[in-house]
């Protein structure tokens, strides 16, 4: 029977945070604890991620555009 020791458990979440996957940790806190760290009424976590797609030879293929100000306002208000 396999089990997870505390050090392994901590390493999993440390890696998640190091990779910037804060939403994953927040989700697990909420699922296991009934609440996460997010404050009711506060806007969702946002960050800027560059979406650049390339070929196997690393030639630029395409770039995903950022949200417009209007689209971002909808997200900030929770209308996404």
């Amino acid at each position: 029977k396999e089990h997870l020791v505390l050090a392994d458990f901590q390493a999993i979440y440390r890696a998640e945070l190091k990779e910037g996957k804060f939403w994953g940790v927040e989700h697990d806190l909420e699922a296991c604890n009934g609440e996460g760290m997010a404050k009711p009424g506060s806007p969702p976590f946002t960050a800027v991620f560059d979406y650049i797609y390339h070929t196997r030879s690393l030639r630029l293929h395409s770039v995903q555009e950022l949200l417009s100000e209007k689209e971002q306002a909808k997200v900030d208000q929770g209308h996404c």
Side-chain angles (χ1 to χ4, degrees), residues 55-68:
T55 64
R56 289 183 186 204
S57 62
L58 298 181
R59 297 188 72 141
L60 179 64
H61 178 271
S62 58
V63 177
Q64 182 174 329
E65 295 294 325
L66 298 175
L67 296 176
S68 69

Side-chain angles (χ1 to χ4, degrees), residues 20-55:
K21 298 178 181 175
F22 305 108
W23 60 88
V25 176
E26 175 69 13
H27 170 270
D28 291 354
L29 283 171
E30 189 170 336
C32 294
N33 194 36
E35 64 180 347
M37 296 178 65
K39 305 286 185 242
S42 64
F45 169 78
T46 58
V48 176
F49 297 98
D50 295 327
Y51 289 94
I52 300 173
Y53 303 94
H54 57 82
T55 64

